[in-house]
Amino acid sequence: MKEIPQPNTEILRELIGYRMPFGKYKNWLIIDLPVSYLEWFEREGLPPGKLGMMLSTMYEIRLNDLMFLIDGLKKIYPK
């Protein structure tokens, strides 16, 4: 039987406090960005490096209706 991969909680914990460094939504938390903005990045190209990985992760979370992962971690690791 194939094992179900578990989410990397370190990435998700970091995602909770990661802010958009530029653009229309500068200083917004990545987890609060509108889906349309995440879709735009996915279509037009993600920035390189960590920011791109964070945006891509958030896009996949929204796309697959996995916000419960973020909501659960926000309760465990409040700001």
Side-chain angles (χ1 to χ4, degrees):
M1 184 188 296
K2 195 173 184 180
E3 257 187 66
I4 298 173
Q6 297 299 310
N8 184 330
T9 55
E10 288 304 312
I11 291 172
L12 295 177
R13 279 180 46 189
E14 190 172 358
L15 186 61
I16 291 169
Y18 206 86
R19 294 189 177 273
M20 192 64 194
F22 60 81
K24 181 178 181 178
Y25 296 102
K26 183 177 181 177
N27 293 325
W28 280 44
L29 291 171
I30 299 284
I31 61 172
D32 293 333
L33 291 174
V35 174
S36 59
Y37 196 56
L38 298 170
E39 290 170 339
W40 180 86
F41 270 112
E42 198 63 31
R43 224 178 19 255
E44 299 297 322
L46 293 160
K50 190 174 198 170
L51 176 59
M53 189 260 311
M54 292 293 188
L55 290 169
S56 177
T57 301
M58 195 64 234
Y59 173 76
E60 290 297 328
I61 288 170
R62 292 282 182 85
L63 180 69
N64 293 294
D65 198 25
L66 298 173
M67 278 303 289
F68 67 89
L69 296 172
I70 299 295
D71 296 337
L73 284 173
K74 282 177 18 182
K75 291 175 186 173
I76 297 170
Y77 304 103
K79 292 216 173 255

